[in-house]
Amino acid sequence: MAQKNGRSIPLEDKIFGISRLANEMIAEKGKESVINATIGALLDDQGELVVLSSVVDVLKNLAPADYAAYAPIGGTAEFKDSIKKAAFGKYEPKCFTEAVATPGGTGAIRNTISNYSQVGDQILTSDWYWANYSSIAGELGRGSVTFELFDDQGHFNIGSLQKQVRSLLDKQESLVLIINTPAHNPTGYSLTLEDWDDVLSVLQAEAKGDKKIALLVDVAYIDFAGDSNEYRAFLPKLENLPANILPIISYSTSKTFTLYGMRCGAMICMTPVKSIAEEFLRVCQFSSRASWSNCNRAAMVVLAKIYEDPALLSKVDEERDFYRELLVKRGKAFEEEAAKAGLKMVPFDAGFFASIPCKDPDAVCKNLQKEGIFAVPLAKGLRVSIASINENQCRLLPAKIVEALG
Ligand SMILES: Cc1ncc(COP(=O)(O)O)c(C=O)c1O
């Protein structure tokens, strides 16, 4: 009965499908026999979801009206203030910023594509990418193309980015470019400040005349990368770009506040032109109204309460710091063992995931499954979630992957 409308819809989501196989093996052989490195959430060393208790305490003490009432389409005023503080940290932008509430980063990606590209356009992202970018583009009647994230030396491939931006702007009036950094999903790469300078020079060189670029910076993992200020050091570079290049920050409470299921985030624009910020607010709120209407009010109130109470904010930050360190240690353990085992990784910095380049990723993943190890096959390799396995398992995995590569 269903209409395809140009989309290719698989029978089952790949990641959830493999996770299901892992759970079936757990049911059959027990938890100890399985390493499930497919899950995109931070689990503790016992395999339980990490939930920040300081955030849960706030949630449990909400008044009925905090969760029963509708929120304004763009989010409550207190939420908008709080989410900007959360996204920008100590940095205070010297440009116009507007925030619109979205159901997680996913909603920010959706609204950016729907408002800053035309039906039939191609959006651009890197060849290692979160698959949902192309799904959202397809859902909205757009396509997606990629640039190569790395050159032969494993550096950010600015030449490939320039080539694709030029080729797309030859054909289109506008371009949505999605860059996921720091702690990129699926590689764990973080753009350096030099990479950022290169990216911004390319965009300024290629956005000629009436051409327009929306630069969507997906910072879903920013608070699990490492030092919060260091990883925000690129933000000032975005504050005074020419008017036809619009940076939009996609910020999510899913990972940062462990509110994955509460579906709360925001899209935040940064522009030197007031009317562009006002237009952003108007068009993005329109899209929200026409897709999910308003977002989860309870999550908005939780965030506002955290940011109005400095002691509570410190408590939340400290609790997160503990788990961030745990994750950083896991990443280091995986890198160390990969080096010992001679396993080539895609350049990794931090975050929930690491990737291994290989030919025939499906076959490698099947080999691993025979050993009770579950990872996600991508177009150019496999993705290992170091967020969902403990340090011992991180140490064990690289040698096992070398075996599975054959
Ligand atoms: C790269 C990336 N961006 C955005 C998201 C969006 O997550 P959410 O919609 O829960 O904020 C995810 C979630 O897995 C992700 O991996």
Side-chain angles (χ1 to χ4, degrees), residues 40 103-107 109 130 133 180 185 218 220-221 250 252-255 260 263-264 353 383:
T106 304
I109 296 157
W130 185 45
Y133 294 154
N180 173 213
N185 174 8
D218 177 356
Y221 298 92
S250 165
S252 172
T253 66
S254 296
K255 283 95 189 169
Y260 306 87
R263 311 308 305 137
C264 180
F353 307 105
R383 186 189 82 170

Side-chain angles (χ1 to χ4, degrees), residues 75-89:
T76 63
E78 298 79 10
F79 166 75
K80 289 180 178 213
D81 275 355
S82 312
I83 198 106
K84 282 196 216 171
K85 286 182 189 151
F88 292 134

Side-chain angles (χ1 to χ4, degrees), residues 62-185:
L62 293 183
D66 291 335
Y67 44 84
Y70 283 130
I73 306 293
T76 63
E78 298 79 10
F79 166 75
K80 289 180 178 213
D81 275 355
S82 312
I83 198 106
K84 282 196 216 171
K85 286 182 189 151
F88 292 134
K90 290 211 170 99
Y91 159 64
E92 285 178 24
K94 290 168 209 65
C95 61
F96 294 99
T97 59
E98 288 291 351
V100 173
T102 55
T106 304
I109 296 157
R110 188 233 169 263
N111 273 3
T112 299
I113 295 176
S114 81
N115 284 297
Y116 294 94
S117 66
Q118 294 183 18
V119 172
D121 276 358
Q122 306 278 346
I123 63 137
L124 179 63
T125 192
S126 53
D127 53 355
W128 295 91
Y129 69 99
W130 185 45
N132 212 21
Y133 294 154
S134 55
S135 303
I136 297 170
E139 173 73 11
L140 294 170
R142 277 76 163 170
S144 55
V145 294
T146 59
F147 66 93
E148 284 176 19
L149 184 54
F150 301 108
D151 64 18
D152 295 342
Q153 271 83 51
H155 298 135
F156 185 82
N157 196 334
I158 192 66
S160 177
L161 175 71
Q162 177 147 30
K163 193 170 148 237
Q164 293 295 47
V165 171
R166 183 171 299 170
S167 137
L168 288 168
L169 282 179
D170 270 351
K171 294 175 249 169
Q172 304 175 181
E173 286 315 302
S174 61
L175 176 65
V176 170
L177 166 64
I178 307 180
I179 293 189
N180 173 213
T181 188
H184 172 245
N185 174 8

Side-chain angles (χ1 to χ4, degrees), residues 354-386:
S355 289
I356 311 299
C358 66
K359 295 206 177 75
D360 205 351
D362 284 306
V364 178
C365 282
K366 289 221 172 76
N367 286 344
L368 284 168
Q369 285 173 17
K370 289 181 206 144
E371 300 286 313
I373 296 165
F374 293 82
V376 177
L378 307 170
K380 301 185 79 176
L382 39 134
R383 186 189 82 170
V384 174
S385 164
I386 52 181

